[in-house]
Amino acid sequence: MSLGVVVRGFQLFVLAYFASLNALYAFFSYVGLRTVVVYSRSLSEVGLKDLLEREVYKPVSILVPAYNEERSIVASVRSFLSLQFPLFEVVVVSDGSTDRTLEVLVEAFALVEDPRIYARAIPTRPVRRVLRSLRHPNLLVIDKENGGKADALNAALNAARYPLVAPVDSDSLLDPQAVLRATRLFVEDDRVLAVGGTVRPLNGAVTRGGRVVELRMPRRWIERLQIVEYARAFFLGRAGWTRFGALLIISGAFGLFRRDAVVGVGGFWTGTVSEDMEIVMRLHKESRRSGRRHVVAFTPDPICWTEVPSDLRTLRRQRNRWHRGLWTNLWRHRDMLLNPRYGRLGLLAVPYFWAFEGLGPIVEVAGYAMLVASAVTGTLNVSFALLFLSLAVLSGVLLSQIGVGVEAFLLQRYPRPSDRLALLAAAVLESLGLRQLLALERFAATFRVGRREWGEMRRVGIPAEGGPAG
Amino acid sequence: MWRRFGDVAFGSLIGVAITLEAVPLAVLTWRLARRAADELAVPELQATLVGTVASTALGLVLVTGYVLAYQVVSEGRERWLRERREAWVARWIRIMFRGEPPPPGPLDRPAAEALLEVREVLRGTEGEEVAQLVRRYGLAEALRRRAGAGSVSQRLEALEGLARARLPETLPDVVALMGDPEPALRVAAARTAGRILAETPPGPVREEGAEAFARALQRHRLPAGVVEEALLLVEDAAPSVVAHLLHGPDATEAGIRAGLEAVGRFKLLGSLEEAASFVGHRDPEVRAAALRALARMAYVPPDAQGAVLEAIRDPVGFVRVNACRAARLLRPEEALPALWERLGDPSWWVRRAAAEAMARMGEAGAAQLRLAAREHPDRYGRDMAAQALRDAGLGEAA
């Protein structure tokens, strides 16, 4: 077989891959958008008022794993405690922190030791002590030996009292109304095991009393690019997968789960750095195996605000970790791949994640390498390559613009028309720069799947009252 | 949380933009395959690629243009609508309370929304006067029509309007929508029907409405949570609906559960005996709901006391939990031995419920709990008793 045939075959493969991926993206964009439109009208202000007045809601335990968060933990916990939700508790777990995380919590919230007995349904690393607050009866702090995020979540899960649990990142803010809207999905459908919500970047936002009161475009472009990414991923991708009952990811920044369901499948798995995806896959799998009808739902309402990396190094570490986590989870649940027993999950969602999310960076990097090789050997059709690149960029930008367009329908949106132009520019930059850079990072991560390190995440922290984040 | 205009048009535009991208892309892929088989010349392929790029770019321009225009227009439009609505609310209030003459119809959107807002707030005689205005301008008829046909989002909006208007004559149409194939509409219709029924005055119309509503809740297999929520909205009409749910010919387990929840929440004393009769039901969820209703009403009828004691040993954990909670209402000499036994239950939740029930049974319960903290044969039972004593502020075991 000549080199020319191989090259031509590869080109055809890349184009077919590109066309399939874009066709899927386009399809899910349309379906996702329809889901958002219907959802946005399905619970009116009147309905929300009725829910509150008739006390038709399920109480929530907010689970906050923390490791060496002495700088931000007090502000985070304050923001969770100020959540205007009728009945909730906050369970913070200091996962063997080696800094002053526990001390600052004790000082800020007047914590005292609590000889509480609770069901340790899931084994965890030893719990040293449990503390409760003299000021906030709904705050519980667990001090335990280091075991990683999943282990900390399991410890919090054991201590949680309420039927719904919400694992959150300690650098996130929650929207009170959105939490109420998300919890209603459990009331409306007995089959719902978990609900994911839209996460939006907090960077640049002005906060007051633990709430986002004004959105401002962040200064750094790397933060703006992530606004585009998040809008596309949540408003289109996840909303689209939900429509098909095949949502595989609920963001670790915020998710709502039925406590008994998570305990029933053995809690969060400590063998992955992406426990948020793994628990959803396991919930699907175990429910299917036991023949129980179940739903993993998604609400397009922006429930959670999270600080996104503001420098390239941290962003690359984060994406490296996400990709390693993705592969670990796909491999652990490889029996779901193309397995009709798992319905749309096995025949559509899991193959998509293998082919386009897992192997995507390899195909992409191989494509760039082929491009370079063709240029070096003088076999490159420059005009064709440039046109193809333009098509790839335009398709990416179109998709991003649809996602960003959905954001414009939110009451709390980036307010100025110039913000829209900035996001358009960010969409172009994201398709022509960041995407390639992150493809390389994810490519590298593919060969480091076994590594369990989290990597240092540099954070600016939740802003002081009235100040913009980031 | 969401702006409710322009999104349907945006959806259609996205359909166009995606078609502009996807169709040429499919043609391009096909032509590249032909090129690979040497059936197509390079210039032809390149022309297809140029067309695909141009077509995708056109889609992008359309979407970007719409988003930019929406950003600019929506700000101004919302401000205008808000101001007009506020002005109309003030005017409706003047019409209601200061005798200002009502405007001639038809009403524009801000005027109609403002009238429905006023209707939402006012109750009693004044509320009925606003209802007359709603009828006079034909708003109910328009909303009824829109709720029956059109896009899902428009129908949902119309149902919201009907929920605000709460006009009894719209109930049959709304109840019919509880069987719509679209789940979001079914849920919205159930909520709206509950609100309308609450506003329907006592009499044959309400009785008929309650029966139809109960039948729809059962027949259309609405989720248990929605049935419960809709029932809590019916307020004074609850006894009629509950009676149909508990004993109607189409009684379902979800309906019975919801009915029992309503008995407890609304404290429907007239349905207490009926609720108690479900403590021995075959479905564990129903048994638990009946026990919960009794615990909420803080009374166990004498005929049901034996069944409650029996339920303390139910094979299903969450039934035992609810039975423990109801058992605190029984005579201490009957309840305490059973609760003592449950302190050694394998389930943490049952042990907890038993200990809490004992803590709420006055001095006899507290004494028994102190004894359990010291001498219960089960270690976990002793620990739970000690914790319940601490939590209830009843001191330590010793």
Side-chain angles (χ1 to χ4, degrees):
Chain A
M1 193 186 292
S2 75
L3 186 64
V5 173
V6 172
V7 169
R8 191 179 282 188
F10 184 74
Q11 281 172 346
L12 185 62
F13 168 72
V14 168
L15 190 79
Y17 187 90
F18 171 81
S20 320
L21 184 60
N22 276 279
L24 270 174
Y25 279 160
F27 179 65
F28 279 108
S29 299
Y30 186 65
V31 173
L33 190 67
R34 280 184 55 80
T35 308
V36 173
V37 169
V38 171
Y39 184 88
S40 67
R41 284 171 168 80
S42 63
L43 187 66
S44 60
E45 290 300 317
V46 175
L48 208 60
K49 189 177 76 126
D50 287 339
L51 282 182
L52 277 171
E53 283 178 0
R54 293 343 190 252
E55 298 188 350
V56 187
Y57 52 78
K58 294 202 176 195
V60 178
S61 297
I62 295 166
L63 316 182
V64 191
Y67 175 71
N68 288 351
E69 306 268 3
E70 65 175 338
R71 285 201 302 180
S72 63
I73 192 70
V74 172
S76 304
V77 173
R78 283 219 170 96
S79 87
F80 297 136
L81 287 170
S82 65
L83 189 66
Q84 290 163 2
F85 187 77
L87 190 56
F88 72 98
E89 64 173 354
V90 178
V91 185
V92 182
V93 179
S94 173
D95 187 37
S97 295
T98 52
D99 67 352
R100 293 188 70 252
T101 298
L102 203 62
E103 284 84 345
V104 296
L105 283 169
V106 170
E107 286 160 18
F109 299 105
L111 300 180
V112 292
E113 208 157 322
D114 182 14
R116 154 177 324 221
I117 301 156
Y118 57 90
R120 289 187 167 85
I122 306 192
T124 65
R125 299 279 293 160
V127 170
R128 294 175 188 138
R129 55 189 172 145
V130 178
L131 303 119
R132 68 184 165 85
S133 169
L134 294 174
R135 292 189 196 131
H136 303 275
N138 59 339
L139 172 62
L140 192 73
V141 175
I142 295 171
D143 174 26
K144 67 179 275 290
E145 288 180 11
N146 182 260
K149 187 181 174 187
D151 195 60
L153 283 173
N154 286 335
L157 192 64
N158 282 338
R161 285 184 302 163
Y162 293 135
L164 300 182
V165 293
V168 298
D169 281 350
S170 61
D171 51 3
S172 302
L173 295 183
L174 300 181
D175 182 294
Q177 197 194 61
V179 172
L180 185 63
R181 291 169 69 105
T183 55
R184 77 162 174 120
L185 295 177
F186 291 91
V187 175
E188 284 182 3
D189 192 342
D190 304 331
R191 300 166 306 161
V192 173
L193 298 184
V195 171
T198 295
V199 177
R200 297 180 76 187
L202 178 64
N203 307 44
V206 179
T207 63
R208 197 166 294 130
R211 300 179 69 169
V212 173
V213 291
E214 188 189 335
L215 277 181
R216 288 183 195 164
M217 192 55 61
R219 289 191 308 274
R220 299 181 191 92
W221 277 96
I222 196 147
E223 294 165 321
R224 295 179 179 187
L225 301 183
Q226 289 170 88
I227 293 172
V228 173
E229 274 191 315
Y230 274 61
R232 200 177 54 210
F234 284 94
F235 292 132
L236 305 183
R238 294 197 189 172
W241 282 113
T242 306
R243 183 81 180 170
F244 290 95
L247 183 67
L248 280 189
I249 301 181
I250 285 179
S251 170
F254 179 83
L256 267 172
F257 296 85
R258 258 175 55 179
R259 184 186 179 278
D260 60 349
V262 179
V263 171
V265 297
F268 294 90
W269 183 44
T270 54
T272 180
V273 287
S274 182
E275 77 297 325
D276 45 359
M277 179 187 189
E278 200 282 330
I279 187 73
V280 178
M281 290 185 85
R282 199 145 35 93
L283 283 172
H284 274 303
K285 196 171 170 179
E286 296 303 326
S287 300
R288 282 269 178 179
R289 275 183 177 168
S290 60
R292 200 172 53 236
R293 293 183 70 200
H294 74 288
V295 172
V296 173
F298 171 77
T299 152
D301 291 334
I303 290 182
C304 176
W305 301 85
T306 193
E307 189 193 341
V308 299
S310 52
D311 63 276
L312 187 60
R313 198 169 168 204
T314 308
L315 180 65
R316 283 176 54 195
R317 275 192 191 137
Q318 183 195 54
R319 298 312 161 90
N320 189 301
R321 173 167 57 82
W322 286 3
H323 204 70
R324 281 184 283 126
L326 171 75
W327 269 122
T328 310
N329 298 336
L330 289 176
W331 186 248
R332 185 174 201 220
H333 298 289
R334 59 191 177 279
D335 54 332
M336 291 177 84
L337 181 67
L338 297 173
N339 188 339
R341 182 181 181 182
Y342 298 106
R344 289 172 185 166
L345 290 163
L347 298 177
L348 184 66
V350 175
Y352 166 86
F353 273 86
W354 272 86
F356 296 115
E357 297 291 342
L359 294 171
I362 295 175
V363 176
E364 202 168 334
V365 170
Y368 299 138
M370 185 68 83
L371 206 66
V372 173
S374 304
V376 169
T377 55
T379 55
L380 182 70
N381 182 334
V382 178
S383 61
F384 191 91
L386 283 175
L387 278 169
F388 190 75
L389 183 67
S390 308
L391 180 60
V393 171
L394 282 170
S395 298
V397 176
L398 173 61
L399 210 63
S400 299
Q401 276 299 90
I402 298 172
V404 168
V406 175
E407 193 266 352
F409 289 95
L410 282 167
L411 292 178
Q412 199 164 40
R413 65 184 181 189
Y414 291 97
R416 296 172 306 182
S418 60
D419 293 336
R420 295 284 136 206
L421 293 173
L423 289 175
L424 175 63
V428 175
L429 278 177
E430 195 260 340
S431 286
L432 196 63
L434 186 72
R435 183 191 165 90
Q436 290 73 16
L437 209 63
L438 294 182
L440 280 172
E441 190 62 42
R442 290 161 68 210
F443 178 79
T446 306
F447 304 100
R448 293 178 198 150
V449 174
R451 295 194 185 178
R452 292 267 312 277
E453 79 262 28
W454 201 261
E456 190 200 343
M457 293 288 123
R458 273 191 57 206
R459 304 283 191 204
V460 177
I462 294 171
E465 293 297 281
Chain B
M1 186 151 277
W2 297 88
R3 289 178 166 80
R4 290 178 169 196
F5 67 94
D7 50 351
V8 178
F10 186 59
S12 307
L13 184 78
I14 296 308
V16 172
I18 284 173
T19 309
L20 282 172
E21 184 202 7
V23 173
L25 198 60
V27 174
L28 178 68
T29 310
W30 169 243
R31 292 205 154 186
L32 196 90
R34 286 184 60 204
R35 167 71 198 136
D38 284 329
E39 290 175 10
L40 195 76
V42 171
E44 272 185 75
L45 181 66
Q46 203 137 327
T48 310
L49 185 54
V50 170
T52 310
V53 169
S55 180
T56 307
L58 178 62
L60 178 61
V61 168
L62 286 175
V63 173
T64 305
Y66 186 91
V67 173
L68 276 172
Y70 185 82
Q71 177 94 11
V72 174
V73 169
S74 58
E75 284 292 342
R77 185 177 185 270
E78 268 157 28
R79 200 177 317 114
W80 178 80
L81 273 175
R82 196 171 48 245
E83 286 167 4
R84 293 261 298 145
R85 208 165 38 233
E86 282 166 8
W88 268 106
V89 167
R91 188 168 173 189
W92 289 122
I93 298 287
R94 287 201 301 276
I95 291 164
M96 287 289 305
F97 296 104
R98 294 190 198 157
E100 193 174 298
L107 301 179
D108 63 5
R109 185 177 163 171
E113 281 181 1
L115 185 57
L116 290 175
E117 263 179 47
V118 174
R119 167 71 180 142
E120 168 71 14
V121 174
L122 294 179
R123 304 263 157 163
T125 322
E126 287 145 355
E128 189 43 43
E129 282 175 36
V130 187
Q132 288 301 340
L133 283 172
V134 172
R135 290 186 184 102
R136 175 177 165 174
Y137 291 107
L139 288 185
E141 195 47 47
L143 288 169
R144 208 152 48 173
R145 267 198 313 274
R146 275 171 47 205
S151 70
V152 175
S153 49
Q154 284 167 340
R155 295 174 72 195
L156 283 168
E157 263 186 6
L159 275 171
E160 188 187 340
L162 288 169
R164 285 180 190 271
R166 306 191 313 277
L167 302 176
E169 64 268 28
T170 59
L171 185 61
D173 292 301
V174 176
V175 167
L177 287 174
M178 287 167 67
D180 195 274
E182 171 62 45
L185 271 166
R186 280 206 300 274
V187 172
R191 284 194 182 118
T192 303
R195 287 182 127 246
I196 296 171
L197 202 51
E199 201 70 10
T200 307
V205 174
R206 185 160 92 178
E207 286 308 309
E208 273 173 36
E211 192 183 343
F213 178 62
R215 259 206 315 272
L217 286 176
Q218 291 162 330
R219 190 176 302 157
H220 302 309
R221 306 266 162 195
L222 288 156
V226 174
V227 176
E228 282 169 25
E229 189 191 331
L231 257 185
L232 294 179
L233 292 170
V234 301
E235 297 180 358
D236 292 347
S240 309
V241 183
V242 167
H244 287 295
L245 286 176
L246 296 186
H247 291 300
D250 307 320
T252 60
E253 265 127 25
I256 294 171
R257 271 168 58 191
L260 291 170
E261 289 296 334
V263 169
R265 292 275 197 112
F266 288 123
K267 305 231 178 328
L268 303 178
L269 282 172
S271 305
L272 183 71
E273 301 282 344
E274 279 172 287
S277 71
F278 286 99
V279 171
H281 195 271
R282 65 176 183 281
D283 183 87
E285 298 270 10
V286 172
R287 293 201 293 276
L291 288 161
R292 234 178 353 258
L294 297 180
R296 279 190 175 132
M297 310 263 285
Y299 181 68
V300 178
D303 290 352
Q305 291 181 356
V308 171
L309 281 173
E310 227 171 88
I312 289 183
R313 294 184 185 89
D314 195 282
V316 180
F318 62 81
V319 178
R320 293 201 299 278
V321 168
N322 285 289
C324 287
R325 287 174 186 156
R328 75 177 169 82
L329 305 164
L330 304 179
R331 281 195 301 277
E333 60 270 27
E334 285 177 355
L336 286 173
L339 291 171
W340 171 281
E341 191 187 312
R342 284 306 103 208
L343 279 176
D345 197 281
S347 159
W348 183 91
W349 298 100
V350 178
R351 294 200 298 274
R352 179 81 196 161
E356 281 176 347
M358 289 167 91
R360 295 180 69 186
M361 288 179 71
E363 192 39 51
Q368 192 77 346
L369 203 54
R370 283 193 199 96
L371 186 68
R374 289 193 309 270
E375 295 179 13
H376 196 282
D378 187 289
R379 181 169 72 83
Y380 296 107
R382 289 198 297 276
D383 288 349
M384 189 56 82
Q387 176 156 345
L389 283 170
R390 272 195 305 273
D391 291 352
L394 294 172
E396 297 293 324

